[in-house]
Amino acid sequence: MKRSAYALLMALFLATIGIAIFIHKLTALNIPLLPAQSYDTWSVEARIVLDDISLISDLAENPSSVPNQLSLYLPQNSERYKVIDESFEGIKISQDMIAESDENRTATLTLQTEAFEGSNPTRDQVGRVLFYRATVQSDLPPSERIDQEPSTLGQQIVDKQVEQAARSNETIKSILKENPPTRSINSLIEEAKKSSKDGLPLAKAIYKLSIQSDDNRVRTLQEALKLNGSSIELAAFLLNEAGETARAGNGILLNPEKAAAAQFSQWLEVNQDRQWFAYDPVSDRFGAQTRYLTWWYGLDGVLSTEGTENIAFEVTARPDTTDGLSRSVWHDDEDSFFLKHSFIGLPLSTQRVIQVLVMIPIGALIVAALHQMVGFSTFGTFTPVLIALSFRETGLVTGIVLFMLVVVIGIAVRSVLNQVQLLVVPRLSAVLTVTVLVIGALALVMDSLGLRYGLSISLFPIVILAMTIERAAVMWEEDGGKDTAIATAGSLAVAVIGFLCISNPYVQHLAFVFPELLLVVLALTILLGRYNGYKLIEYFRFMALQKQLQQANS
Amino acid sequence: MSSPFYNLSRSPLREYGVLGINSRNLEYIYPGNPRELFPQADDKLKTKKLANELEIPVPETYGVIRFQNEVKKLSEIIEKRKSFVVKPSGGSGGSGILVITEVKETTYCKPSGKALSLDDLSYHVHNILSGMFSLLGNGDVAFVEEAVKFDPVFDEVAYMGVPDIRVIIYRGVPAMAMLRLPSKASDGKANLHMGGLGVGIDMATGKTLGGIQYNRYFKQHPDTDGDLDGREIPHWEEILNIAAKLGDRTGFAYLGVDVVLDKHKGPLLLEINARPGLSIQIANKSSLRPRLDKIDGELAGLKSIEDKISFAKTKFGQ
């Protein structure tokens, strides 16, 4: 067959190119074949968008909102993490612009640049993006690490908008001078001192009082001091009032399991005998702070500027599995074409998207193989790939349970809608709406049960789910429950197999660092397109026929 | 065969020449059936037009409904009809076909006895028009046609519904045929994947061989207990003729032709299928590939439709 020969040639051609680039990168450029195992190094990236349009209501009324100067806290070394490398992109900065005090490292950026020579300088500055990139190394052996974020600890802050006025030590001092809420302060301190006089036990007692957010005194203080609900900051303030030395730490949790952008978390530190002890609410003990990457201490925000509030700040972190390759690419040390134009040089938040994207061809190959060679029956061709991607967010077991739950509830609702005989498209819209409601309700229920999947199921491809429900319901009417169950099981099975493959760290690493291997995936897909052998299910389908033919022939 | 996968699977199925779905697509349908012809097979109204041009008899069309606001025409179309069938023009695998065998004053009864109202029928037409049953999910056209009064020869083996005869045509030569019988499980429809029965047919004589349901062999119809083998299909010659004509006059190399037998009008063309299923091999206890290879080998000597039919009868009898 001519066409099969062409397909074979095409596949060989693609695979050869892919493998050639792959081997070149592997041997000449020393790119590691396997991902670094023990997430020892991390790429941390802060993205600062000046004059973020999404934060300004009216640009015309606010033309000179680009700041001249911007100070920014930088991550610092701690017991666990060392900043081994850092750089800025989008602005030139010299070493002396980074000031280090006892507690914090601050970079002062002056934004007067060439762009101001233009006729409309501020316009050019609108939406300008700066990157701060750091490579962070963990010095602790894995056994001593704590990578779980305590669920009761303080709260997380997303520094989308910089609020300068409200939250600084100065503000609190002036509030205290004018109208001190002494009664609440004293009452809380006295209550804490009942159980323990001073030192770390007192800190613990005060912390436990501070997290009682429904306590009237706590509420009064929160409002008076404008702490935005941070119980850590309140505890630090109360401890200082009680004569101890305490501070609030701000940092991010570097968690390889978590795909979302990193958020700042807070913790409480108390000074005892000239040493700082961090309070760990999980073990209820004081010790060195080994959970977070320390960014700064104090009550103010990560950024401070003059003249504007329209700055977006986002931190992304990714375990650097490329053995320091990211570092050299970010620094432009490499002059190889393939490294200069690799995904590793992209901003981390873009890398996150690409990491998911490069998994899709692999999922598609799996679907093609299971379709052509095994003969799975599924709802829609690529629905299982999308379900598999959504499992990345929810985790496998939760994902399956959620999928079944949403589909079963959806089918039940759809059958109710069918009673009033709606037209197809409005009915599909209604099913979509119900799907959103079901997911919303599930998120609420799970949240109140203390399960932490609320956010991730919202990323479930809702439209796909609604279509699946519709298809399942039609199939139920047309072909009965058995076929529907088979197709549901088939979809789930394909999704699970796909998920197991795309969640494999080796597969992820290979596809991301060696995207040319996707050409090999393409080659395999083309070969599959010319597969003329039997599907696995056909061996069962034709089993009775085979027996008859064997009898007839013997 | 230079296909890269050919040697990967050595199995008795391969040895006996059982045609699998991947082979059917890659070796017969893609090279033999041009894409642009598919609407002739997928769109039943287009098939009817084609049949009229070829002077092949089809069931009478009572009316066509193309737009949602035409659905009110339905009551006019079915007025005074004692039985009728509502079909989506682009439906696949028998989905969306609604058979009404009995009309009482305001209710319409399905073969199973279930009564529907005019509202239910209109809703079904609305669903058809919005593309619920079409292959691509696009908008579709509904039409109403006569319900075939099927030949009583099948009374003993047809459970509430219309049996039909499927003939596979390859390059104009009838290659294999089967009688498809509705069953309890298939709700009066004759489609095999819905639980209908497939009964093999001896190409030489038009006599039935044993049957299958869900790929399992049966000697008697599981619902009516009528014998499945040894029944003679009436008008066998004419059925082969209709099928061979369609294979000869259309551009399809590999085609399934579905014919139904009317008590008064004889064989009527129901539809043609550009991707006919493979269970016909199980029903006939015979594999397709040897027959297709034989046709490929001797096609040069077969000029007329009559040649092709007699070739099929002599070579593919059992």
Side-chain angles (χ1 to χ4, degrees), chain B residues 41-317:
Chain B
D42 293 342
D43 186 330
K44 293 194 185 76
L45 287 173
K46 288 205 174 102
T47 310
K48 280 191 155 182
K49 200 169 151 241
L50 178 77
N52 284 334
E53 283 163 17
L54 300 178
E55 292 173 352
I56 293 169
V58 291
E60 186 193 337
T61 307
Y62 292 158
V64 179
I65 299 171
R66 292 180 193 276
F67 305 105
Q68 300 279 8
N69 60 5
E70 288 181 344
V71 176
K72 47 186 178 295
K73 267 171 53 186
L74 181 68
S75 58
E76 264 169 62
I77 294 172
I78 60 178
E79 208 183 359
K80 289 179 194 154
R81 303 288 181 193
K82 291 203 171 59
S83 64
F84 56 88
V85 185
V86 183
K87 285 184 178 179
S89 187
S92 66
S95 71
I97 295 178
L98 184 64
V99 185
I100 299 298
T101 44
E102 205 187 336
V103 179
K104 291 174 188 162
E105 276 165 42
T106 54
T107 57
Y108 303 86
C109 298
K110 298 214 286 184
S112 61
K114 196 185 169 199
L116 301 175
S117 67
L118 185 61
D119 266 359
D120 293 326
L121 293 185
S122 301
Y123 180 56
H124 185 74
V125 173
H126 277 299
N127 277 340
I128 291 175
L129 294 183
S130 40
M132 198 163 120
F133 307 106
S134 84
L135 287 170
L136 295 169
N138 293 331
D140 202 349
V141 174
F143 65 96
V144 185
E145 68 175 17
E146 71 170 298
V148 175
K149 281 143 220 80
F150 57 92
D151 202 303
V153 289
F154 298 129
D155 275 358
E156 282 176 39
V157 286
Y159 184 86
M160 300 191 300
V162 185
D164 67 11
I165 294 142
R166 151 77 52 96
V167 185
I168 299 274
I169 298 291
Y170 180 57
R171 302 174 87 168
V173 183
M176 205 175 265
M178 84 175 148
L179 172 68
R180 299 191 301 179
L181 300 170
S183 73
K184 209 175 200 166
S186 70
D187 190 24
K189 285 162 199 160
N191 296 80
L192 259 57
H193 76 270
M194 290 182 174
L197 266 72
V199 182
I201 298 176
D202 182 351
M203 295 297 282
T205 60
K207 276 198 176 146
T208 58
L209 311 161
I212 52 158
Q213 184 184 36
Y214 292 125
N215 300 337
R216 278 180 31 234
Y217 287 99
F218 285 90
K219 277 218 156 43
Q220 275 98 26
H221 192 295
D223 304 322
T224 68
D225 289 333
D227 281 332
L228 291 174
D229 56 347
R231 292 184 183 271
E232 198 168 324
I233 309 270
H235 312 287
W236 177 238
E237 201 71 30
E238 213 179 322
I239 292 169
L240 286 179
N241 206 42
I242 289 177
K245 204 167 172 184
L246 277 163
D248 198 65
R249 301 284 179 79
T250 61
F252 295 106
Y254 187 83
L255 190 67
V257 176
D258 295 349
V259 176
V260 66
L261 288 177
D262 190 90
K263 190 157 57 172
H264 309 293
K265 300 182 180 175
L268 302 176
L269 176 70
L270 259 195
E271 56 184 277
I272 58 177
N273 195 325
R275 317 165 192 79
L278 297 164
S279 294
I280 195 169
Q281 302 176 96
I282 312 174
N284 277 286
K285 300 180 188 171
S286 173
S287 43
L288 264 169
R289 198 187 284 276
R291 296 193 184 188
L292 301 180
D293 287 346
K294 251 181 219 159
I295 295 173
D296 275 329
E298 297 189 37
L299 190 74
L302 306 172
K303 296 285 178 243
S304 65
I305 292 178
E306 288 72 33
D307 284 350
K308 289 175 179 172
I309 292 176
S310 66
F311 174 80
K313 284 172 113 178
T314 48
K315 299 284 182 180
F316 306 145

